[in-house]
Amino acid sequence: MMSRSYTNLLDLAEGNFAALGLAGGGARRRQGSFGLKRMSRVMTVPGTLSELDGEDESEPAATNSVASDAPSSLAADRMIVVSNQLPVVARRRPDGRGWSFSWDEDSLLLQLRDGIPDEMEVLFVGSLRADVPVAEQDEVSQALLDRFRCVPVFLPDHLNDRFYHGFCKRQLWPLFHYMLPFSSSASATTASSSPGNGRFDRSAWEAYVLANKFFFEKVVEVINPEDDYVWVHDYHLMVLPTFLRRRFNRLRIGFFLHSPFPSSEIYRTLPVREEILKALLNCDLIGFHTFDYARHFLSCCSRMLGIEYQSKRGYIGLDYFGRTVGIKIMPVGIHMGQLQSGLRLPDREWRLSELQQQFEGKTVLLGVDDMDIFKGINLKLLAFENMLRTHPKWQGRAVLVQIANPARGKGKDLETIQAEIEESCRRINGDFGQSGYSPVVFIDRDVSSVEKIAYYTIAECVVVTAVRDGMNLTPYEYIVCRQGAPGSESTSEVSGPKKSMLVVSEFIGCSPSLSGAIRVNPWNIEATAEGMNEAISMPEQEKQLRHEKHYRYVSSHDVAYWSRSFTQDLERACKDHFRRTCWGIGLGFGFRVVALDPHFTKLNIDSIVNAYEISESRAILLDYDGTLVPQTSINKPPSPEVVSTINTLCSDRRNIVFLVSGRDKDTLGEWFASCPKLGIAAEHGYFLRDEEWQTCTQALDFGWMEMAKPVMNLYTEATDGSSIETKESALVWHHQDADPGFGSSQAKELLDHLESVLANEPVTVKSGQFIVEVKPQGVSKGVVAERILASMKEGGKQADFVLCIGDDRSDEDMFENIADIMKRNMVAPRTPLFACTVGQKPSKAKFYLDDTFEVVTMLSALADATEPELETDSADELAASTSSLDIGDEQSESTDRPIGGS
């Protein structure tokens, strides 16, 4: 069952406003629950899956149960799009009475509807870019819901300031753009002085969490968790998925990050790094613009959470407690229809004619950027200045038109950049300007879309020199404008073949998709200058070919394509949601949903004790590390309690007890010397201890070790923190103390290297948790389990009770073999088989116990049920039952991957 306990942080998010110094409780309550009254598809049943699973399906509440085995067919699927801002423009009416609303046609959220199936309703949840008085919020909410299918979130002003300006713009935005707060001076500035960043502010983080909680509550008002998809957008709402997953375990959630995701070396400086990563992993699909951003995210998951990704048939996924979290890489596109409509506007004609006259005989380079410290406008000006000086032929001919959209924030860094830009413009125009010629035309005002289209149309080249940008659609818009509207017969249209040129920074998201662009490092002024010169000096035919290539891509990969692709992948990622058993575990942002086989249940101690008491021939197979002692334990020898419990179990002549471990025989023999009746299978079963140690196979040639060890030595020398463990029958390369990313990469290389070198040897090469192991073929825990049960049958003591416990990949061999023994009549009919793994995780076992403490507790319960009168002082029973384990030439199937012949 989902835990009801919360960390202090989530307690605050539950409504403890006083702890944050916020008086927002009343405002939140006054927002009302308009959605519940107006919408018939509302989930109003709180609680967890386990609470709802027991409801009678004949009751009305069952129709809304989250625990239904399949999505409801009563209503069509619906997409709830959640973002910081709604795609709606709100304006106060001139008379001051009420509000007028209209769609924001430039909003990506509005445009993505084109890629969502027509039969799927779209509902928007987000805040309004308007200050709506509390008394009017219910009325505004109802109007937006009825007319626009929008659900507004109203944040108190002080909360919004600390959420948006305090954390989003002063912490996340700079960090995601590779800016670190090296001094505390920025912290002293006002909260609205974005994008300048300061030291981490815990109260701003708490405000961020609380604001996400506000969004969550609005989603809950209108959601039907069985039928709805939720698509969360951007860095403002990165912890929202945890709130949603905590309430609705099987909810289908997607997330798309529209900004860059920084490298792990930058991201790891964030004090709440793990909280955000774990929150995002509560999604089913996480989208990024480029592979670089996705790679950085995957690296962070590996280094900070120990989660490795897998790629299968073109899809990248992270296995997170039985759920596969998909990773989507797809750059967003532009809205072709909207842009082409702009190309047909009457205003474009006279504006285009005016600009052609103004720049007649000139080669126009164009920049269109926000006034932002990351856009590299001054770097562009310096590069253009360098081009004019290095290539004098362009003096008097080349013009850089720079459109700078007004700054959205303020701060010392931005003021410094603005002053530097103005100085550069004055210097360049002063040094290279002539009568009737200004090399730089700087436009720092709002430019209408039709005017911008006119500038795109006359520009020979667009230059983007952002030092870091999530996507940047300026090059896409330019390409479409240079192509012109289909069927247009404008008299002012650029004549001749369509052509365009791009000089783009390699640090922007659209760069990888524009293979014909000239990519530059904007910090390298000289190289950027040469890129500009190359672009405008290129032969016309080459310009045309590059333009055609770009236009084919941009026109086919528009915003509808992006939206459709993400929606389809989200549907694919969620296809098994209602067929799997799910439950929530963990506190605070450590909360996650475990998704497992429906038949996977916790081992009930009373049940296993009852089965134990009525059985006559029992097989008990125990792993050691991670099963009897914790994996993280420094003191590895068994505790006195474990030794006593094992001796008690071994004293019953109806029990065959074996310790099946990967450890070497000398260590196990020393630790369990006081357990003479305990059978031990060391090194995954290569060695067996009865009265004496013996090998489980014929004498083998270990010449392969001389081939494998030099290879391992190479990787050990090259990988700091790695080591080699030499066993009598196996070699193990450990990399748990190495750099996570490098160690994992080296392990994959070593695996391939060893497979190649040992291709003709009778060995198996396998990877495990921080290891690469080479061992003889036919040696595995699964084979040992099978041989023990076979020997019991041959000795006339066919098992009627089987208990097998382990915690890692090597134990899965045992679980797999035990699951099949009933079909092969190796045990008595109706034998209870207790294959049990340690920890709640995907496994071939049917049962689990939470930790080693529960394992020892369960074994102690079995020991208490042992009948004293059946004890014997002789070890003959064990010897008789296991005497046939020396199999010689007997062949058994191994579940490991064979490398060579046997």
Side-chain angles (χ1 to χ4, degrees), residues 85 156 226 276 294 305 309 433 464 544 588 593 610 638 776 783:
Q85 293 183 338
E226 289 186 357
I276 289 178
L305 303 180
Y309 75 92
V464 182
Q544 180 184 347
V593 165
N610 290 337
V783 173

Side-chain angles (χ1 to χ4, degrees), residues 722-779:
S722 65
S723 61
I724 300 174
E725 179 186 1
T726 303
K727 302 179 182 179
E728 291 189 42
S729 66
L731 290 174
V732 185
W733 188 74
H734 296 269
H735 62 93
Q736 67 266 32
D737 295 326
D739 176 88
F742 186 55
S744 176
S745 174
Q746 290 289 81
K748 293 175 183 177
E749 291 292 329
L750 176 59
L751 185 70
D752 291 340
H753 197 161
L754 289 172
E755 286 180 339
S756 175
V757 169
L758 302 174
N760 297 317
E761 299 298 321
V763 295
T764 296
V765 181
K766 61 185 299 187
S767 62
Q769 188 172 15
F770 301 115
I771 66 166
V772 175
E773 184 174 23
V774 186
K775 62 183 181 180
Q777 284 183 9
V779 176

Side-chain angles (χ1 to χ4, degrees), residues 828-840:
R830 299 181 181 177
T831 295
L833 305 178
F834 296 97
C836 178
T837 189
V838 181
Q840 300 178 42

Side-chain angles (χ1 to χ4, degrees), residues 636-652:
K636 290 296 186 180
S639 66
E641 180 187 3
V642 169
V643 172
S644 174
T645 299
I646 288 178
N647 275 328
T648 301
L649 292 172
C650 292
S651 67
D652 192 328

Side-chain angles (χ1 to χ4, degrees), residues 35-36 39-45 64 66 78-82 123 125 145 151 215-232 240 243-245 247-253:
L36 298 179
M39 305 198 63
S40 61
R41 304 174 56 224
V42 176
M43 170 63 186
T44 61
V45 182
N64 282 333
V66 189
R78 184 174 61 168
M79 179 69 75
I80 299 178
V81 178
V82 191
L123 188 70
V125 177
L145 178 64
V151 180
F215 282 83
F216 159 73
E217 289 173 344
K218 282 300 175 185
V219 173
V220 169
E221 287 185 6
V222 296
I223 197 170
N224 181 342
E226 289 186 357
D227 300 312
D228 293 346
Y229 292 84
V230 178
W231 188 355
V232 184
L240 176 60
F243 288 111
L244 292 170
R245 186 67 69 196
R247 180 69 174 270
F248 308 114
N249 288 176
R250 289 183 174 129
L251 185 62
R252 298 172 287 192
I253 309 172

Side-chain angles (χ1 to χ4, degrees), residues 686 697 700 702 704 729-730 762-764 774-780 894 896:
Y686 182 77
T697 64
L700 297 177
F702 286 95
W704 57 265
S729 66
V763 295
T764 296
V774 186
K775 62 183 181 180
Q777 284 183 9
V779 176
S780 74
S894 170
D896 292 336

Side-chain angles (χ1 to χ4, degrees), residues 79-266:
M79 179 69 75
I80 299 178
V81 178
V82 191
S83 66
N84 182 45
Q85 293 183 338
L86 290 171
V88 171
V89 178
R91 295 183 180 89
R92 173 73 73 177
R93 289 188 182 132
D95 59 6
R97 299 178 180 178
W99 296 81
S100 63
F101 305 100
S102 61
W103 286 116
D104 180 0
E105 298 294 340
D106 294 327
S107 171
L108 174 67
L109 302 177
L110 181 63
Q111 297 169 358
L112 66 79
R113 293 190 307 180
D114 290 359
I116 295 176
D118 293 338
E119 64 274 11
M120 180 178 282
E121 179 188 357
V122 179
L123 188 70
F124 297 100
V125 177
S127 61
L128 274 176
R129 285 167 288 183
D131 186 11
V132 180
V134 173
E136 301 178 22
Q137 288 178 2
D138 284 349
E139 181 183 353
V140 168
S141 297
Q142 194 65 61
L144 287 172
L145 178 64
D146 293 341
R147 294 170 49 197
F148 295 90
R149 311 305 291 162
C150 290
V151 180
V153 179
F154 298 108
L155 299 179
D157 290 342
H158 46 283
L159 174 60
N160 184 63
D161 187 64
R162 292 166 69 182
F163 153 66
Y164 184 74
H165 296 295
F167 194 77
C168 291
K169 285 300 184 184
R170 293 193 59 215
Q171 300 289 335
L172 292 179
W173 178 259
L175 184 78
F176 281 21
H177 289 75
Y178 289 73
M179 284 186 65
L180 293 176
F182 290 112
S183 70
S184 59
S185 59
S187 298
T189 60
T190 61
S192 62
S193 59
S194 61
N197 62 327
R199 297 277 171 81
F200 179 77
D201 181 355
R202 179 67 58 176
S203 66
W205 160 246
E206 292 170 350
Y208 179 84
V209 174
L210 183 56
N212 276 247
K213 178 70 174 181
F214 271 73
F215 282 83
F216 159 73
E217 289 173 344
K218 282 300 175 185
V219 173
V220 169
E221 287 185 6
V222 296
I223 197 170
N224 181 342
E226 289 186 357
D227 300 312
D228 293 346
Y229 292 84
V230 178
W231 188 355
V232 184
H233 288 264
D234 223 2
Y235 63 95
H236 313 89
L237 302 173
M238 288 197 293
V239 301
L240 176 60
T242 287
F243 288 111
L244 292 170
R245 186 67 69 196
R246 193 179 192 96
R247 180 69 174 270
F248 308 114
N249 288 176
R250 289 183 174 129
L251 185 62
R252 298 172 287 192
I253 309 172
F255 178 90
F256 198 92
L257 182 66
H258 294 276
S259 75
F261 195 92
S263 70
S264 62
E265 293 304 308
I266 297 293

